[in-house]
Amino acid sequence: MARHGIMQPPPLISVQNLQLTGRRGRGLETPIVDGVSFDVAEKEMLALIGESGSGKTSVALALMGYARRGCRIAGGKIRVAGYDVTEMPPAELRSFRGKTIAYIAQNAGAAFNPALPLMDQVIEPALLHHVMPRQVAIERAIFLFELMALPSPGTIGARYSHELSGGQLQRLMAAMALITGPEVVIFDEPTTALDVTTQIEVLEAFRTVRREEGFTGVYVTHDLAVVAQMADRAVVLKNGVVQEEGTTEQILSAPRHAYTQALLAANTPQVRNAPTQATDSGTVVPVLDVRDLVVGYGGTGPDGRPRHTILSDVSLPVMPGETMGIIGESGCGKSTLIRAIAGIQPWTSGGITFEGEALAPRIEARSAAQRRHLQLVAQNADLVLNPAMSVGDTLRRVLTFNGDAANGAEIGRLLDMVRLPSALADRFPPELSGGQKQRVNLARALAARPRLVLCDEITAALDTVVAAAILDLMMELKRELGIAWLFVTHDLHALRSVCDRVAVLYAGHRVEFTPISALEEAPHHPYTRRLENSVPEMRADWLTDVISLRDQGSEPVPALSSSRGAGCCYAARCPVRIAICEVATPPVWRSPAGALISCHLTSQDLS
Amino acid sequence: MTVAPFARRWVSVIPRIPGSLILFWLLLALLGPVLAPFAPGEVVSRTVFAPISAHHLLGTDYLGRDVLSRLLCGTGSTVLLCAATTVLACTGGVFLGIIAALKQGLTDTLLSRFMDGVISIPSLLSALVAVAAFGSSVPVLVLAMSLIYMPGSYRTCRMLALSIVRRDFVLAAQMRGEKSGYIVLREVLPNMTGPVMADVGLRFIYAVRLLSNLSFLGVGLQPPLTDLGSLTRENLLGLVYGAPAVIAPALTIAVLTVGLNLALDSYKGKAG
């Protein structure tokens, strides 16, 4: 931000007219990045903003003198910390990477070798580049662990990657990048794969370490709210061309370019849904009724409950034509719930009825009509479409299987329903973009003419703009076809914009069940509130506020006794817990606004 | 990353090879006896192990027979016999392998243990036992060799299929209620064609080797039928004279197996 000194030092990173080209198979070279130029001053953090395919990661990798397979740096000048990256011979590049410039990747889970203790891997760059002796490196690593608020920094290095959570691994990876004290650090979407609650911890850790270490940074992301917290300046990329460059404040508050404005609009929450007046008054039969569902593994204990429960007594009625949202962090059991409803996850007790009839736990035992009317749309569109089958054949098979007419017109109609051109029918999934694949995925579910569609994080892997379009599409289909949706997500924005009612899951318990109208009004379960507060906002001091709020709130809580079992599932993390929370199962009560909350505290306490 | 233009052109030719190469060998196998200038069993020269000449393009063998004619006939039996073996072994292996991956549980255990049993016996030994029990005839050889090479194909395909059956599109098909046959043929198999093709090439080599071994031992194809292995064996003495009679069939085996494998390895399915 403070770039207007009297004697401006030369920029630490200077990219001029960068050209990157790529080749697919034996095809012609096509430009990936075309004429990108920007400077980063010393100790500054620059954000590269763009959607997938915008070339932001390619630019970031080019700073390290690296081009992905099939790509090459075709032109332009890259100077980083006094080195001319494009001219460096391989041996020099190797010592330049790791020593002068470091890279923090998106998926830390995949970056660590599961067979080696973490400390060995964290200090490896320092030993490899002969920066410091082993003992010094270990001390520095422990210092970095402390800085990033990792639990038990002295001993965490002796553990293995599978023993830690995603957020912790991401911080360890940052420590690995920083161990050599590099001048430049590249962050490549480091929090995209994390839950919002975890993201806060990681972002705060990055900020602390940057304050202490004072490196120059390049932060690659598509999330504008994260940019607001982390970066001083930002460059907006689209299709490999710079659209706009400016300070973070200017980009986020007064974007000049139309594309930046569109990006901002997609990031701003909006209501897409005209709420259906569905109530469980008893007059309408719910399309789906989940009653006291218990799912677990490890066999059944003497009390008839599984030894390890994933879902505890979850109930969920879904009315015809309604959008039911399920939200919770990873590991809360939301996908398990979807799998149980879909018939691929057996349950221990409780039951599920579909249109008034009991559903068999196993898909094989369900009737053809039930299989047809209950469709699952899975998260990962890359895995869910057969790469060796054309889009048309995929849809045709569903139609013929259900005994419907499967002519070209019908397939065209289905593709049109998900706003895809009918010419796409001859294409194969690997040729499609992520958003297109997810639309085909939806079209396949719609081909069966379902009454209820289960959506498991269908927008999680998509860019904001594409995800917004998918949500719009869902709502249009809901209006046109009267389909009920069960929408699982960890994205509160998405949830708000499409759902009629919301169930909040924590550790397999339904802690709150609320109509969307009541979501804005207090009181709420403490976990719901925490989720709400964790969604990044586009103002720069949001992270500071959240962290200070969290630090204040954590004082008067009674210490947690070691005996767990009965009691509230959220007691361990609850900032407002009282003594009874640990011993008794909380009652369920209805708030004035209509939310069902399971908590020992009363409406007044929580307001 | 940068490939010289001539190399690039060469690389771009490779994908077109498999079809034409297989066609070439099949044509040679079928037309070989017709093309042969002499009858394969006829003694046509007084010189044994004669060198290359205009009259005998590849010289003569240890009895003074025309090597080219014998080679043309021998190639046919090797190619056809081994192709039949490979087709049988791989069809069985691919099908059972995918079924085992798909069904898992008892089906998988039974199939896998049976295949382990078969694979644990040395291939030459089981072939010798089969020939000893049922005599040496073309059907016995083909069936015995198919059974011997099915487990290898089965194991490869089971492993390949294991990663594919866990993907969501197979789950989607199962949730729709599709039959196993459809899932194997349309959902799983098209996604593993590349590695399966490479495996087919390997099985073919193994079959050629086993048949040659058997013929070398004298229990393979019986005269007057001949194959590349027995041609090599019967002319082994020619090695000391540097006679083409022994070099030509050995070279043919090498060209056939290495060429077919290079070609099949370069095969890429739709999924690429």
Side-chain angles (χ1 to χ4, degrees):
Chain A
M1 270 176 268
R3 290 190 73 230
H4 308 288
I6 307 156
M7 272 176 50
Q8 206 163 331
L12 194 76
I13 303 175
S14 161
V15 176
Q16 272 161 27
N17 197 24
L18 179 66
Q19 312 273 349
L20 294 172
T21 57
R23 180 201 305 281
R24 271 187 78 177
R26 292 182 301 282
L28 286 169
E29 281 199 326
T30 46
I32 298 172
V33 168
D34 193 7
V36 167
S37 306
F38 58 84
D39 291 341
V40 189
E42 201 170 347
K43 310 246 186 286
E44 189 180 44
M45 180 77 99
L46 176 88
L48 287 176
I49 308 174
E51 302 186 31
S52 50
S54 64
K56 56 189 192 301
T57 297
S58 301
V59 171
L61 291 174
L63 291 178
M64 306 178 61
Y66 180 78
R68 278 185 277 204
R69 215 184 145 77
C71 307
R72 65 188 185 91
I73 300 174
K77 278 244 169 283
I78 307 173
R79 290 189 68 81
V80 176
Y83 295 95
D84 191 338
V85 176
T86 45
E87 302 292 324
M88 255 194 270
E92 263 181 61
L93 260 182
R94 207 154 38 233
S95 99
F96 164 74
R97 296 174 189 157
K99 230 187 212 171
T100 314
I101 191 165
Y103 180 77
I104 300 174
Q106 176 172 355
N107 192 346
F112 282 104
N113 182 341
L116 288 176
L118 290 162
M119 181 58 91
D120 286 356
Q121 302 178 63
V122 169
I123 61 169
E124 194 184 351
L127 305 184
L128 207 64
H129 296 296
H130 306 292
V131 180
M132 55 186 89
R134 188 184 169 83
Q135 205 47 49
V136 181
I138 289 178
E139 275 163 29
R140 176 161 163 80
I142 292 172
F143 165 73
L144 287 170
F145 294 165
E146 262 169 37
L147 215 54
M148 285 191 273
L150 279 163
S152 48
T155 53
I156 196 168
R159 301 171 74 180
Y160 292 84
S161 63
H162 65 268
E163 299 176 306
L164 301 186
S165 70
Q168 289 167 339
L169 285 178
Q170 203 68 52
R171 279 177 275 174
L172 277 161
M173 194 170 170
M176 175 159 69
L178 293 168
I179 192 87
T180 55
E183 286 176 70
V184 179
V185 180
I186 296 171
F187 298 82
D188 192 356
E189 302 251 18
T191 61
T192 305
L194 303 176
D195 284 318
V196 277
T197 43
T198 324
Q199 174 170 279
I200 290 181
E201 312 295 327
V202 175
L203 288 180
E204 175 59 15
F206 287 167
R207 280 214 323 199
T208 316
V209 82
R210 186 178 158 222
R211 213 161 32 232
E212 294 295 318
E213 297 274 310
F215 48 80
T216 307
V218 174
Y219 202 103
V220 177
T221 184
H222 69 274
D223 190 338
L224 295 175
V226 170
V227 172
Q229 314 312 316
M230 305 301 290
D232 307 316
R233 282 194 314 125
V235 170
V236 182
L237 283 170
K238 188 193 181 190
N239 298 333
V241 180
V242 174
Q243 307 292 316
E244 184 165 359
E245 185 184 349
T247 64
T248 306
E249 278 170 30
Q250 180 257 310
I251 296 260
L252 295 183
S253 58
R256 281 190 295 265
H257 198 280
Y259 177 69
T260 320
Q261 286 160 4
L263 257 186
L264 266 170
N267 266 276
T268 319
Q270 61 183 97
V271 175
R272 299 179 162 78
N273 182 28
T276 21
Q277 287 309 311
T279 45
D280 29 2
S281 53
T283 47
V284 191
V285 181
V287 59
L288 179 86
D289 198 3
V290 181
R291 285 259 163 85
D292 301 322
L293 198 71
V294 178
V295 178
Y297 60 95
T300 347
D303 56 349
R305 294 179 75 86
R307 282 183 216 284
H308 305 277
T309 45
I310 307 171
L311 288 177
S312 310
D313 303 306
V314 171
S315 298
L316 200 70
V318 183
M319 295 295 146
E322 175 186 43
T323 315
M324 171 72 70
I326 301 176
I327 192 164
E329 58 197 16
S330 46
C332 73
K334 51 191 194 301
S335 289
T336 305
L337 178 57
I338 285 282
R339 290 171 63 87
I341 297 169
I344 44 181
Q345 168 73 55
W347 59 79
T348 313
S349 64
I352 304 177
T353 59
F354 183 67
E355 301 188 307
E357 287 171 42
L359 274 183
R362 290 182 61 78
I363 185 83
E364 292 90 341
R366 294 184 182 175
S367 74
Q370 285 175 338
R371 278 206 292 254
R372 176 177 182 168
H373 291 146
L374 183 68
Q375 287 287 320
L376 172 70
V377 179
Q379 168 178 8
N380 196 332
D382 291 320
L383 298 179
V384 86
L385 296 176
N386 189 341
M389 211 188 271
S390 74
V391 169
D393 284 345
T394 301
L395 298 178
R396 191 171 291 120
R397 181 63 195 181
V398 179
L399 293 170
T400 47
F401 190 83
N402 289 318
D404 295 328
N407 47 30
E410 181 63 17
I411 287 164
R413 194 183 68 80
L414 280 169
L415 287 174
D416 183 54
M417 218 185 254
V418 294
R419 315 290 178 258
L420 287 174
S422 50
L424 220 68
D426 299 326
R427 308 269 291 274
F428 287 87
E431 302 164 29
L432 305 182
S433 72
Q436 286 175 325
K437 275 185 242 182
Q438 202 56 280
R439 282 162 196 262
V440 174
N441 195 3
L442 262 178
R444 177 168 63 177
L446 296 175
R449 301 177 196 275
R451 309 261 165 84
L452 173 69
V453 180
L454 311 171
C455 297
D456 190 1
E457 304 248 21
I458 55 168
T459 56
L462 301 176
D463 287 320
T464 22
V465 175
V466 182
I470 294 276
L471 294 180
D472 283 334
L473 177 66
M474 264 180 72
M475 289 304 102
E476 278 172 44
L477 292 170
K478 177 185 163 185
R479 276 192 298 276
E480 286 169 20
L481 309 172
I483 297 173
W485 301 84
L486 191 64
F487 185 72
V488 168
T489 184
H490 64 264
D491 178 358
L492 206 63
H493 281 336
L495 198 77
R496 276 219 184 88
S497 73
V498 298
C499 291
D500 299 308
R501 287 193 291 174
V502 176
V504 183
L505 284 189
Y506 181 80
H509 295 258
R510 193 191 77 185
V511 295
E512 184 166 343
F513 187 48
T514 169
I516 199 79
S517 54
L519 202 59
E520 308 304 325
E521 290 167 46
H524 280 298
H525 190 276
Y527 179 62
T528 314
R529 240 174 33 209
R530 185 188 156 108
L531 271 182
E532 292 216 324
N533 293 339
S534 306
V535 178
E537 291 171 24
M538 241 171 292
R539 54 195 175 83
D541 39 8
W542 166 79
L543 185 58
T544 322
D545 292 353
V546 175
I547 295 290
S548 63
L549 209 69
R550 184 195 63 184
D551 292 345
Q552 287 167 15
S554 58
E555 277 162 57
V557 183
L560 197 69
S561 68
S562 56
S563 66
R564 294 277 296 123
C568 175
C569 61
Y570 190 56
R573 278 170 74 186
C574 187
V576 292
R577 67 167 174 257
I578 48 178
I580 192 172
C581 292
E582 288 179 61
V583 286
T585 313
V588 179
W589 45 268
R590 191 180 286 274
S591 80
L596 286 172
I597 298 171
S598 127
C599 187
H600 285 294
L601 297 177
T602 60
S603 185
Q604 284 87 349
D605 297 332
L606 288 176
S607 292
Chain B
M1 263 179 280
T2 38
V3 186
F6 74 93
R8 207 178 293 149
R9 207 170 307 135
W10 171 236
V11 166
S12 71
V13 168
I14 288 180
R16 279 174 239 150
I17 294 178
S20 40
L21 200 68
I22 290 168
L23 201 67
F24 165 76
W25 284 109
L26 277 179
L27 278 179
L28 200 65
L30 294 171
L31 299 179
V34 184
L35 294 174
F38 300 94
E42 192 187 348
V43 178
V44 290
S45 167
R46 291 190 165 200
T47 347
V48 294
F49 295 130
I52 292 171
S53 65
H55 200 56
H56 299 290
L57 282 176
L58 288 174
T60 58
D61 72 349
Y62 74 111
L63 289 178
R65 294 174 292 194
D66 182 51
V67 172
L68 180 63
S69 306
R70 288 187 68 75
L71 194 63
L72 281 169
C73 298
T75 307
S77 25
T78 296
V79 168
L80 292 180
L81 230 72
C82 294
T85 301
T86 313
V87 166
L88 276 179
C90 290
T91 311
V94 167
F95 244 95
L96 295 176
I98 299 178
I99 290 284
L102 208 59
K103 300 276 176 199
Q104 309 206 334
L106 190 64
T107 319
D108 184 23
T109 312
L110 287 178
L111 275 172
S112 295
R113 292 303 83 77
F114 169 74
M115 295 292 178
D116 285 352
V118 175
I119 215 171
S120 64
I121 307 168
S123 52
L124 192 59
L125 194 65
S126 10
L128 285 173
V129 169
V131 169
F134 303 107
S136 183
S137 66
V138 170
V140 167
L141 283 173
V142 169
L143 284 178
M145 295 205 305
S146 313
L147 189 66
I148 289 166
Y149 288 123
M150 198 191 301
S153 169
Y154 165 87
R155 299 199 72 146
T156 314
C157 292
R158 180 174 163 274
M159 286 314 294
L160 286 170
L162 271 180
S163 69
I164 295 169
V165 295
R166 301 232 169 80
R167 291 204 220 153
D168 289 347
F169 60 84
V170 178
L171 188 68
Q174 284 171 326
M175 287 181 64
R176 199 159 62 223
E178 297 282 6
K179 300 248 180 338
S180 298
Y182 172 86
I183 296 182
V184 168
L185 284 180
R186 295 301 312 276
E187 303 280 357
V188 182
L189 188 55
N191 287 299
M192 45 193 260
T193 38
V196 165
M197 280 306 195
D199 183 65
V200 166
L202 269 183
R203 298 303 141 208
F204 184 80
I205 290 199
Y206 289 154
V208 170
R209 193 186 62 182
L210 183 58
L211 185 65
S212 303
N213 277 344
L214 288 173
S215 301
F216 196 87
L217 293 174
V219 295
L221 279 183
Q222 299 302 313
L225 285 176
T226 183
D227 72 285
L228 294 174
S230 50
L231 282 179
T232 316
R233 183 214 31 166
E234 65 192 18
N235 293 309
L236 205 58
L237 203 61
L239 214 51
V240 285
Y241 307 111
V246 63
I247 297 166
L251 213 58
T252 313
I253 292 180
V255 170
L256 170 68
T257 53
V258 174
L260 266 185
N261 264 276
L262 282 178
L264 287 171
D265 279 356
S266 70
Y267 178 85
K268 286 198 174 72
K270 282 179 197 164

